[in-house]
Amino acid sequence: MIDVKQVLSDAEERMEMAAMFLDEQLARIRAGRANVAILNGVKVNSYGSMVPLNQVANVSVPDPRTIAIKPWDKKAIRDIEKAIMDSDVGITPENNGEVIRLNIPQPTEERRRDLVKQCNKIGEKAKVEVRNVRGDIKDKLKKAIKDGLSEDNEKDAELDLQKLHDKYIKKLDSLLEEKNKEIMTV
């Protein structure tokens, strides 16, 4: 006999992971505004090991179009610049010997539309994951009937599962809508 509450909490956890995935992926997309999250994937060679950029430098946003990177060790400037150039950030760093600056260009209308499409693709992946979780749990519940779960309990669990599904789809939609609004704002 399965524990329905446990199954539903597992489903919610997996759906929450899909929402976190979407949030993380959307944060990495450049929307014309400076956002330190676009540098999250950048790894810097520091004393022979690859470490995240934020572990070798202070990363800040002094104004909406600029990201400033101030290395704690001035000798690391070259390594940081190389790491940014090798990453998929797509911005050429400029340095004055102490601080590396990334100037975020204003995206064109066409580029904005492409970014919105990219966001929607990522959002669809997350929604598919939420739907897959719902499908998996429904199958588990159907099998549980054979193991002795009453049909009433199964129907109640399915209703709760659908409510969870709707809640997370709505959450994903609001994350997407927020990001698309940010991208399309000039």
Side-chain angles (χ1 to χ4, degrees):
M1 183 93 161
I2 68 167
D3 182 3
V4 175
K5 279 189 169 58
Q6 182 62 43
V7 169
L8 288 174
S9 100
D10 289 348
E12 184 169 17
E13 193 175 306
R14 286 174 59 193
M15 289 179 184
E16 181 62 36
M17 293 296 276
M20 286 167 49
F21 164 80
L22 178 64
D23 197 30
E24 196 176 286
Q25 292 299 310
L26 291 180
R28 290 182 177 185
I29 293 178
R30 277 194 295 151
R33 280 205 181 89
N35 180 355
V36 295
I38 65 173
L39 297 173
N40 283 351
V42 177
K43 300 268 192 241
V44 179
N45 183 359
S46 177
Y47 301 108
S49 61
M50 298 304 277
V51 294
L53 175 62
N54 62 5
Q55 290 183 9
V56 294
N58 182 26
V59 183
S60 62
V61 180
D63 65 68
R65 293 254 171 259
T66 310
I67 297 176
I69 304 162
K70 186 165 176 51
W72 294 316
D73 180 4
K74 297 221 184 328
K75 295 176 193 135
I77 278 190
R78 294 272 176 257
D79 293 330
I80 292 171
E81 277 189 325
K82 184 178 180 338
I84 292 169
M85 295 293 280
D86 293 346
S87 73
D88 61 355
V89 173
I91 303 172
T92 306
E94 304 165 3
N95 86 58
N96 63 7
E98 289 185 20
V99 178
I100 297 171
R101 294 195 188 291
L102 299 178
N103 292 317
I104 311 295
Q106 181 75 27
T108 63
E109 185 71 23
E110 186 181 332
R111 176 73 178 133
R112 282 198 189 96
R113 285 198 182 97
D114 290 345
L115 288 171
V116 167
K117 283 180 190 171
Q118 187 181 347
C119 289
N120 289 338
K121 251 186 214 171
I122 296 168
E124 195 52 45
K125 275 185 190 170
K127 287 180 184 179
V128 166
E129 178 56 29
V130 169
R131 290 184 197 115
N132 287 345
V133 170
R134 179 184 60 179
D136 292 349
I137 301 303
K138 269 188 172 183
D139 291 346
K140 266 189 190 175
L141 292 171
K142 295 271 188 249
K143 287 178 185 163
I145 290 178
K146 294 174 187 161
D147 295 339
L149 183 70
S150 73
E151 284 192 28
D152 287 345
N153 285 349
E154 189 266 344
K155 288 290 177 212
D156 290 344
E158 240 180 71
L159 269 170
D160 292 344
L161 180 63
Q162 187 60 43
K163 285 178 187 167
L164 263 181
H165 169 270
D166 295 344
K167 171 184 156 189
Y168 278 97
I169 292 293
K170 194 178 273 185
K171 183 176 182 175
L172 296 176
D173 282 339
S174 72
L175 284 171
L176 275 172
E177 190 178 315
E178 200 176 288
K179 185 65 175 186
N180 289 344
K181 191 172 152 191
E182 178 187 333
I183 289 171
M184 292 311 284
T185 304
V186 179

